[in-house]
Amino acid sequence: MDHKVVIKGMQYAPSTVTISKGDTVTWTNEDGMIHTATSPFPVKPPYAWNTGDIKKGENKSVTFTDPKWQGKYGCIYHGRMQGEVKINP
Ligand SMILES: [Cu+2]
């Protein structure tokens, strides 16, 4: 299953997505600046997962094959952006 998150106004919407293992989350950036969706939060390497740069109008997807990838995530460039992926057991 694919879950969609829109990035707009420096916020992830919805801020929390609850998914099943193996599902995909797709982020779409509607802001004029580049964002990422990157775990863990606070964002610092080594990353559990990372969309890489998402430019305006672009989509990037991550498939959550590892339950340990659940938790809060943020943006590499903007420290106050915060979202969360919950993975059902
Ligand atoms: Cu950002």
Side-chain angles (χ1 to χ4, degrees):
M1 188 175 172
D2 191 26
H3 305 264
K4 300 195 180 306
V5 176
V6 172
I7 309 172
K8 193 171 185 179
M10 296 185 71
Q11 293 188 322
Y12 302 105
S15 60
T16 300
V17 285
T18 302
I19 70 171
S20 298
K21 180 176 172 255
D23 283 359
T24 297
V25 180
T26 299
W27 286 265
T28 301
N29 185 7
E30 295 186 356
D31 274 343
M33 66 196 84
I34 294 172
H35 295 300
T36 73
T38 308
S39 175
F41 185 89
V43 177
K44 66 174 184 182
Y47 304 135
W49 52 269
N50 178 20
T51 59
D53 287 0
I54 316 173
K55 296 173 188 166
K56 184 180 184 180
E58 279 189 340
N59 307 308
K60 290 283 179 70
S61 298
V62 174
T63 299
F64 287 81
T65 53
D66 187 339
K68 291 193 296 291
W69 290 1
Q70 81 166 353
K72 291 183 177 176
Y73 67 88
C75 174
I76 289 173
Y77 304 112
H78 307 106
R80 71 180 177 83
M81 293 176 64
Q82 188 179 146
E84 185 169 11
V85 175
K86 293 182 175 175
I87 303 178
N88 283 326

